[in-house]
Each structure stands twice: as C-alpha cells, then as structure tokens.
Amino acid sequence: MIVYGDPQFSAKLSVLLGQFQTRLAVQRAATPTLEGVRTLLISSGQLEQAAFDSSSDIADTAAQLHSATAYAAEAFYGLWRDASMPAPKRTVSQALNLMAATLEAITCPETLTVKVKLPEGFSFYTLYPEQYAMAALHWLGDHTEAQKAVVVGIRSIGTTLGAVVSSVLQAGGWQVQSFSVRPTGHPHERQVQLPTIEDTASSLGVVVDEGPGISGSSMATTAEAFVRAGIVRESISFLPGHGNEPGQAASDDVRRWWATTPRYVTKTDDPIFAGGKSLPELLSDAVMTLACVGEKVVQIEDLSGGLWRQHVFTDQTQWPAVNPNFERIKYRCTTQSGLKILWKFGGLGSGSESLESTAEAIAKRASQREANGLGPDLLGTAHGFVATRWVEGTPMLQPRDVLVIQLREFMLVGRYILRVANLPLSIEEHEQAVARLEEMLYWNTWEALGEAMAEKTRLLGQAAKLSKPLRAYGDGHLSPHEWIRRASGQIVKVDGIGHDQNHTIIGRQSIAWDIAGLLIEWDMETDQKADAMLNNQYTEAGDEPIPPDVLLFYKLAYSAFRVGVCHFALSQGDRTEQERNRAAYNHYCQTLKYLLERIAI
C-alpha cells in the first residue's frame, strides 16, 4: 500500500539564503533564545541538505552551509547546556557571528533552484535536537579518553543531527571530522559512499539518523562503509531516534549490525529540556506565557494516538478508527480556573521558502480562521506546538442517521470547504499532484481489489491531469466527528490545518480532494444531488464546475488512500481497535469497489 510520501518544496537558493540571513539577524540583534536558535539550526540543516542534493555543481556552497550548520549547532548547545556539561570553545554570540560571516561569503547563481526536504522527525514526530545533544553526552560518558571521531549524519535530517552530535563531542575535547551522506539504491538495501576519512585507524565512528525504519539499512550500510574505510567495527556506535529494532524488511546482515552495535538513544519524554524538564512539563510552563492565560497548569493529559476520543465521545461504540502513525502528538493542559488548552505538534522544520517553521505557518492560518469564525481560538505557539482553546461539545455522528439534519449540515460543511480553500495550484504543481494520486490509486486498488479493478483507475487519471488547476484544498479532514457542536448550538471545525504538509503522499491537491473527502466521509459519494449542490456552491463562488469524471477520480483516490491508511493499522492496538480498523478498511474497500464498478471499459 502506498501512503507515505516525501514532502519537499522547491525554491531559489539565493532567496532561501536571504530569508535565512534575515532570521539570523533577528537572533543576533537581541538576546538569542534557545527556541530561536533551534529554528535556525534546523533551517540551516535543511539548506545544507538542499545544496548537497542539488544536481548543480555547488560543492563549495554546500561545504560553506555545512560550516554554517556547525556554528548553529555550537550556539544551540551553548544555550541548552547546564554548568555540569562540557563548555563549547566559543560563546553563543561568537558562534552566531561566525555563522553570519560564513553566510555572507556564499555566492550562488541567482536562478539556481533547489529542493528542500522536510526533515520527518522534526516536522511530524516530535524529534528534537536536544535528544541528540543528550545522547552525545552519554556517548562521551562511555568514551572518557578524548581521541578522534568521525560523525556521519544521514540526510535529510542528519545534516542537523550530525552537527549537534559533533558540537557536543568537540566540547568534550574530541577532534571531530563530520559530514553527511545520502544513501542510494533500493529503500530496503541502501548503499553509501563515504568521503575521504583522515586517520581511520585511530578514529571512532558515529552514525547519526532518526531511524531505524522498516529496514534499518541506511545506518547499517553506513557502518559497513566505515569498516571498508578502515575504522574498526567494534569502535562504531549508532545514535538513532528511538530504541526499537528495524522493521520487517531488515535483512539478516542489517539485524546483526543492530544487535551488536552500541546505541545511544534519548526519548522526548526524558528530562532533556531546559531545567531538566520533559516535553509535557515544558508545555505546561509555556501556558503561563500564552496571551489571555497566565495561569498555572494543574493537569496535563496525553491525547495522542486516539486517546482524545475518551474526552470527546460519551460512548466507546461511537469511536472512529484511528492510525496512531498518522496522528500528531497532542497534550491537553487544564489551568487552575478550569481553562482547557490543546497543544498539538505542528512541526519544527521549514516547509516553504519563508523558512518559518510549519508550526508558525499553521498558527498563521489558524489565526485567520479564528478571525473568520472558522476554527477554535488560537492561543500561541511554543517549541513546535500550536495551542488552541479546547472545544467542549458533542461531535457530529454519521448524518444519514438524522435525515432532517443531513442537508443543513452538509451545506454548512460545503460552504466551509470553499471558505478555507487556498490559492490555486500552478499547472506544474497540479500535474505532479494528480500523478501522485494516480500511482497511489492504482497500487492500493491493485492490492485491495485486484489487477482488473486497478486497470480501471487508469481511465480517469488523464482527465484529471488535463483539467483546469483549481484552488488548493484547505482542510483534508472532513469526517463528521471533526465538527463539534457546542451547548449553544454553534458548530466548530477542529483539526482543520496542516494536513497538506504531512508525511503522506497527498501533499497539496486541488479543492476536489476536500469535496471528494466530504462526499465519502458523509456517506454521500453516490448521491448525485450532493454532487450537484457542491458544484453549485463552487460555481456561485466564481469558479468553473468540476467535471464529473474528474470528481470521480478524486473520490476514487480518496477512498484508496483511506484504504491504505486503515491497512497499516489492522494489527495495531487491542482487539477492539483492530476491529474498528478492519471495519473501516472494509468500508473504504467497498466504497472504492462500488465506484469502480460504475466505470465502463
């Protein structure tokens, strides 16, 4: 099943460098903050990744950005450390000044466009540089005689993580040679070519990444490259993002590497933040700084992985199926006066040429929607999380249960879709977006319903590609339970932002994606009156109607995507959760099959 994607954006490197220098100047003009420098560090790593992965010959620029990331890591470590930890050789100001001088010396073609990837851990999975700083300190604790180390960060995220580890080891007195690599080849059998390593016989190897993933091959093959270069196998360590073993696609050789190589892992719920605080404690403290709050938190609850359902539904039989892998981390804080605040992870990485974090971008859109009465109250951001006021009320259930309510609520949601839509896709972006859906639709259908049904999907993709680019969708999550009815009768849409920039293959799509999602999630995918009502609303807003075959393509693609998401959750959770996901999987399969059966070959 195809579900995961590789989120990235394209921009001119000269523009990115200008934006980055502006953000750096803000930190240098005042007292640098850990949060501000953390953002600089991650953005610098993203620019470094883009330069190294560029097809153009800009090796000197990539090397300069590698140095800039190293200085950012040194400043970050200087702000994060406490008095018991080794001191960096430079002050925070000195490191930031050197970073600025390095950036000013960079020259690159004005027209050079690069692809910047969103580092998955920073962007979606609450991975923090602090974790790797702590892991590196633990590594130092086991290697007390300072020598030489070679630190390799695996791109994309390894540009930043490797720099953090290197800065800590250098503070501990080690001579460090550092670089990043891009593994190539089959996803389950990666290969790595290392640059020249100085003095391998007396060096220790450190492999840094956010894995292991389904195969664990990227870190293992990097370790093998260390051995080929002359580093002793027993002197190699892994600094991964979690303590789990590689997934089901790992080979025997890869499993041996993971079974025999020392690992240094620090989790986000460990006391890794300023003052020895954990992430929940950090967010509790941040409540005091939010506008219109200023109260102490008396309770904080983890609502991640579907736990939010017990606070929303009164009956467990109404719980929707969830896949924890596609949910952002969420916490709910309750203050002394009873005010409830929802913290949801929005992301630390940058997702556009503005180089603002995805959390900052989400907060801007949330503020606009709040002003237009289209979402919950925005309270602020902190450490990659976005805070909104918790919405008390009753979630909508399947509207077909109450036919009188059905039409009114359906029209309300239809108008919402139009009001939150984003600027139109470019022709190129539209074609790429449809191509992603075509591939996903074919293979998910092939696996769920067989080759004959999958072949039918080929008939509609071309029509969608040739259709006029439309406004981009603005929500992405339109199930009835995403709408909360307050006691006053007001209906509030929750969880409506950020889904066009997540770890799935969907990305930015036409507004037809939201329209199709609404029709399917509200069990109206075959209701021609519903199609007509939405198209009428769309044309009344000044746009051309969506052709029936194009809308059918998006309905099929939406169904196939949901089939894939549910498929990955079939073996997760307890028996009841598995039954929910099995029922959801069967429902979307049946919807997909029914829609395909209407297509004549």
Side-chain angles (χ1 to χ4, degrees):
M1 292 285 181
I2 297 177
V3 173
Y4 287 101
D6 184 20
Q8 56 189 276
F9 67 93
S10 297
K12 291 181 180 179
L13 183 56
S14 58
V15 173
L16 293 170
L17 288 171
Q19 292 282 4
F20 187 72
Q21 287 174 299
T22 298
R23 285 184 165 256
L24 173 58
V26 171
Q27 289 298 311
R28 294 176 66 207
T31 302
T33 65
L34 179 63
E35 190 162 5
V37 172
R38 185 203 290 130
T39 300
L40 285 176
L41 167 64
I42 293 172
S43 296
S44 184
Q46 287 184 265
L47 297 190
E48 180 188 340
Q49 164 269 307
F52 273 116
D53 289 341
S54 173
S55 58
S56 302
D57 184 15
I58 54 169
D60 289 344
T61 298
Q64 288 169 301
L65 285 168
H66 180 75
S67 296
T69 308
Y71 292 132
E74 192 170 14
F76 171 81
Y77 173 67
L79 286 168
W80 172 78
R81 63 175 286 273
D82 63 33
S84 67
M85 301 171 185
K89 295 179 180 179
R90 301 179 182 90
T91 66
V92 172
S93 295
Q94 289 172 337
L96 293 179
N97 290 341
L98 286 169
M99 187 181 182
T102 301
L103 292 169
E104 289 170 3
I106 293 177
T107 58
C108 66
E110 287 291 327
T111 58
L112 176 62
T113 297
V114 294
K115 291 184 178 180
V116 184
K117 294 182 179 290
L118 272 70
E120 296 165 5
F122 294 149
S123 300
F124 314 125
Y125 302 117
T126 58
L127 193 73
Y128 286 80
E130 285 92 333
Q131 295 171 243
Y132 285 77
M134 185 65 75
L137 288 172
H138 293 158
W139 187 93
L140 283 177
D142 286 348
H143 302 82
T144 55
E145 296 184 8
Q147 303 175 48
K148 298 178 181 178
V150 181
V151 176
V152 175
I154 297 177
R155 294 200 295 271
S156 297
I157 200 170
T159 50
T160 296
L161 297 179
V164 171
V165 172
S166 297
S167 69
V168 176
L169 268 54
Q170 288 171 331
W174 285 69
Q175 296 181 42
V176 178
Q177 184 180 1
S178 68
F179 42 82
S180 69
V181 296
R182 168 69 68 189
T184 59
H186 190 279
H188 300 164
E189 297 178 3
R190 295 297 195 190
Q191 299 297 318
V192 165
Q193 185 67 41
L194 296 179
T196 301
I197 299 176
E198 303 168 1
D199 194 13
T200 56
S202 60
S203 295
L204 279 65
V206 181
V207 185
V208 186
D209 195 17
E210 63 181 342
I214 193 170
S215 72
S217 63
S218 292
M219 296 185 77
T221 195
T222 303
E224 289 175 353
F226 268 150
V227 173
R228 291 195 300 272
I231 292 180
V232 178
R233 176 169 181 152
E234 289 72 24
S235 66
I236 298 171
S237 302
F238 287 165
L239 270 68
H242 57 81
N244 300 330
E245 300 302 315
Q248 58 189 16
S251 66
D252 290 341
D253 286 342
V254 167
R255 292 191 185 281
R256 277 192 288 272
W257 268 107
W258 281 95
T260 59
T261 304
R263 293 182 236 177
Y264 294 85
V265 184
T266 303
K267 299 179 291 185
T268 53
D269 53 3
D270 290 338
I272 60 172
F273 296 98
K277 297 181 183 298
S278 66
L279 182 56
E281 292 171 328
L282 194 72
L283 295 175
S284 294
D285 288 349
V287 167
M288 293 289 293
T289 66
L290 295 176
C292 304
V293 181
E295 296 180 351
K296 185 177 180 180
V297 170
V298 296
Q299 183 182 26
I300 183 165
E301 304 159 283
D302 186 355
L303 302 192
S304 311
L307 293 176
W308 54 269
R309 293 173 297 182
Q310 60 188 314
H311 301 279
V312 174
F313 296 89
T314 57
D315 185 350
Q316 286 194 19
T317 62
Q318 299 172 345
W319 285 14
V322 298
N323 186 332
N325 293 333
F326 296 98
E327 276 199 20
R328 301 293 185 103
I329 297 295
K330 296 179 283 292
Y331 295 97
R332 187 175 72 170
C333 292
T334 304
T335 68
Q336 290 171 313
S337 67
L339 175 65
K340 291 182 171 60
I341 298 163
L342 178 67
W343 286 105
K344 181 180 177 182
F345 187 67
L348 300 165
S350 301
S352 70
E353 68 178 25
S354 70
L355 293 185
E356 63 185 358
S357 70
T358 48
E360 291 174 312
I362 288 171
K364 282 185 178 179
R365 290 165 69 180
S367 178
Q368 294 168 353
R369 294 196 186 176
E370 177 195 355
N372 292 317
L374 298 173
D377 298 341
L378 173 71
L379 299 178
T381 62
H383 307 290
F385 280 76
V386 179
T388 56
R389 193 180 300 271
W390 177 261
V391 179
E392 297 282 4
T394 304
M396 289 190 187
L397 303 178
Q398 288 302 97
R400 281 201 180 276
D401 295 340
V402 188
L403 295 179
V404 176
I405 294 177
Q406 174 183 320
L407 183 59
R408 178 169 62 86
E409 310 295 26
F410 184 73
M411 293 293 284
L412 179 151
V413 177
R415 288 191 292 272
Y416 166 84
I417 287 176
L418 298 177
R419 293 184 67 186
V420 302
N422 294 314
L423 295 174
L425 304 173
S426 67
I427 293 176
E428 181 183 11
E429 191 176 17
H430 169 70
E431 291 176 349
Q432 292 174 349
V434 173
R436 291 197 304 272
L437 294 185
E438 269 191 305
E439 190 74 3
M440 177 273 297
L441 171 57
Y442 180 86
W443 289 111
N444 287 12
T445 302
W446 187 92
E447 188 167 342
L449 302 177
E451 184 176 2
M453 285 292 192
E455 286 300 321
K456 282 192 170 188
T457 69
R458 298 294 196 196
L459 301 175
L460 295 173
Q462 189 62 22
K465 279 184 182 176
L466 295 175
S467 64
K468 179 183 176 182
L470 305 172
R471 285 188 284 168
Y473 80 87
D475 193 302
H477 280 203
L478 291 166
S479 297
H481 68 262
E482 303 275 359
W483 298 78
I484 304 296
R485 189 191 308 276
R486 288 176 165 155
S488 64
Q490 179 192 19
I491 298 174
V492 181
K493 178 65 174 67
V494 296
D495 193 22
I497 305 173
H499 306 124
D500 55 352
Q501 206 168 59
N502 58 21
H503 197 191
T504 72
I505 197 170
I506 305 305
R508 271 171 52 87
Q509 293 285 344
S510 151
I511 193 175
W513 179 259
D514 261 358
I515 293 174
L518 171 62
L519 290 165
I520 288 170
E521 297 295 356
W522 289 55
D523 289 340
M524 303 181 81
E525 66 277 355
T526 59
D527 191 325
Q528 293 182 353
K529 289 184 179 179
D531 284 11
M533 285 191 297
L534 288 179
N535 250 332
N536 287 340
Q537 288 186 357
Y538 196 62
T539 54
E540 287 172 5
D543 293 282
E544 296 180 11
I546 302 171
D549 54 348
V550 174
L551 183 55
L552 178 56
F553 169 78
Y554 282 95
K555 290 180 186 178
L556 290 167
Y558 185 92
S559 300
F561 174 69
R562 295 301 303 165
V563 165
V565 170
C566 293
H567 171 81
F568 279 113
L570 290 178
S571 60
Q572 297 188 28
D574 58 22
R575 181 176 177 180
T576 303
E577 196 66 64
Q578 291 175 15
E579 289 174 351
R580 288 192 194 97
N581 277 294
R582 172 62 65 181
Y585 174 82
N586 290 337
H587 170 74
Y588 290 116
C589 281
Q590 290 167 5
T591 300
L592 180 61
K593 181 180 178 183
Y594 183 82
L595 292 171
L596 286 167
E597 286 175 341
R598 300 170 66 197
I599 302 175
I601 296 180

